[in-house]
Amino acid sequence: MSNEVLTVSPQTLQDMKKYYTMNLKPKTPPGGLFAAKKSTVNITAYLSGKVLFQGATAQQEAALWSGKSSQGVTSKKNTKDLNTPLPKDFKHWSVIGSDEVGNGSYFGPLTVVAAYVDKNHFALLKELGVRDSKDMKDPEIRKVASDLITFLPHSLLTVLPSKYNAIQPTMTQGKMKAVLHNQALGHVLNKIYPIVPDGILIDQFELPSTYFKHIQDQPKQIKENLYFQTKGESHHLAVAAASIIARYAFLTSLDTMTKEAGITIPSGAGSHADLIAARLLKRGGLPLLGKYAKLHFANTQKAQKIARL
């Protein structure tokens, strides 16, 4: 069994806990923040900042976070596969960027967006307020996105919980996201044809090698001039714009679900989500909850205990 250890900041620990939300184990070891199991890897994060990866693909999993580590991963193999180096002037290129929203939220859909930003539109996007969506409040997200969708070539793919729950037992979330990104990029390339972007940038959610493995069964695979970067929003406005539109679509879907359910459907996967899920379970069981939530999250079991089902 391969073992890897990282030392990360408190903020990165919280980012990791959110990232592994759907993989969390019910018990946390003494001094730990969380324990999770993703495929063949066990991840244990401690309040001290130490994170232990154990399993057949521990190196690859640890490599996802090595860029945020204060000491680096103990074994350097495969870390070069984490990101694809960007040309020095990449931020000035005309680029298709893609990002996803909702994968860490118990309620709501998984939304994936690819958007093309011509370099001649940089000034306009900045004037509209396009930047990292994590630094924007939801009202601003809605306002900026409603402007962007009127002129920016983009593709929005939304997987509602009912469909997500049907797919998830036979497809990992990583493969699901990879297939959606690949499809969205293909749609935008068709929309802007005969224009060819200078490059394509995916906000990285897994190793590039894993991504290509996940899309190898797709009839059309977008690979040319394709780059991967964590925190893609900081590398090009195209990813920032895609993230804003994806967030907007996610929020709009939550609004629709709230009206339909007659109860506020929240974002995230915290204890509040457990309480809402328990109320839905009491009202209509798993069939009703499955219309609004991703059932494989640990929240489902927590909600069942609250509802005493």
Side-chain angles (χ1 to χ4, degrees):
M1 178 183 289
S2 176
N3 294 318
E4 304 291 342
V5 179
L6 295 179
T7 300
V8 301
S9 68
Q11 180 58 55
T12 299
L13 279 178
Q14 294 302 322
D15 291 344
M16 293 178 78
K17 185 176 181 180
K18 182 178 179 181
Y19 178 83
Y20 293 114
T21 295
M22 68 293 297
N23 308 109
L24 292 178
K25 295 181 179 180
K27 294 184 179 180
T28 303
L33 176 65
F34 71 86
K37 183 172 183 179
K38 179 184 175 185
S39 187
T40 60
V41 183
N42 286 289
I43 304 103
T44 307
Y46 295 91
L47 295 172
S48 64
K50 296 284 187 182
V51 184
L52 173 64
F53 299 83
Q54 297 174 295
T57 56
Q59 289 181 355
Q60 293 91 325
E61 194 67 27
L64 290 173
W65 304 97
S66 63
K68 299 180 181 181
S69 171
S70 59
Q71 295 181 358
V73 63
T74 56
S75 174
K76 294 296 183 180
K77 292 182 180 179
N78 295 326
T79 56
K80 65 181 181 180
D81 197 25
L82 178 60
N83 288 320
T84 48
L86 297 177
K88 290 183 179 180
D89 61 344
F90 185 85
K91 66 179 180 180
H92 302 298
W93 286 11
S94 296
V95 166
I96 296 177
S98 68
D99 200 0
E100 81 282 334
V101 171
N103 58 292
S105 178
Y106 179 53
F107 286 108
L110 171 62
T111 59
V112 174
V113 171
Y116 173 65
V117 173
D118 187 283
K119 58 186 177 183
N120 294 319
H121 285 156
F122 288 170
L124 174 59
L125 264 63
K126 290 179 180 178
E127 183 179 340
L128 290 174
V130 174
R131 60 188 188 282
D132 190 338
S133 63
K134 297 181 185 64
D135 297 329
M136 302 169 67
K137 301 292 185 181
D138 287 348
E140 187 179 11
I141 291 279
R142 296 177 188 272
K143 182 179 183 302
V144 174
S146 62
D147 289 331
L148 293 178
I149 60 178
T150 63
F151 71 91
L152 209 63
H154 70 281
S155 172
L156 164 65
L157 300 178
T158 301
V159 182
L160 293 172
S162 56
K163 185 174 182 179
Y164 181 99
N165 292 327
I167 298 172
Q168 188 274 326
T170 59
M171 182 184 294
T172 66
Q173 192 185 73
K175 180 174 175 62
M176 196 185 305
K177 291 191 292 185
V179 169
L180 291 168
H181 276 272
N182 183 66
Q183 290 178 353
L185 293 173
H187 293 165
V188 176
L189 285 170
N190 289 336
K191 284 185 177 182
I192 66 175
Y193 182 82
I195 296 173
V196 177
D198 298 324
I200 298 172
L201 179 61
I202 293 177
D203 187 60
Q204 183 170 304
F205 55 90
E206 62 187 2
L207 291 169
S209 58
T210 304
Y211 175 86
F212 290 126
K213 190 176 298 183
H214 280 155
I215 67 169
Q216 65 184 359
D217 60 349
Q218 297 299 294
K220 183 176 182 180
Q221 301 167 31
I222 309 305
K223 295 182 177 181
E224 189 173 354
N225 294 325
L226 182 60
Y227 300 87
F228 299 83
Q229 285 286 319
T230 52
K231 294 186 177 181
E233 303 98 323
S234 64
H235 294 283
H236 202 281
L237 282 174
V239 177
S243 179
I244 289 170
I245 297 174
R247 177 69 181 173
Y248 170 72
F250 175 77
L251 293 172
T252 300
S253 183
L254 289 184
D255 292 342
T256 300
M257 291 180 179
T258 293
K259 291 180 181 178
E260 181 183 298
I263 184 174
T264 300
I265 303 297
S267 176
S271 57
H272 181 57
D274 300 339
L275 297 175
I276 298 297
R279 292 175 63 180
L280 291 170
L281 280 172
K282 287 184 177 181
R283 187 190 301 176
L286 285 175
L288 179 62
L289 180 59
K291 293 177 61 178
Y292 306 105
K294 304 175 183 73
L295 296 179
H296 71 107
F297 276 42
N299 300 79
T300 300
Q301 287 71 42
K302 295 176 183 178
Q304 288 174 324
K305 289 182 181 179
I306 294 172
R308 296 180 179 177
L309 296 176

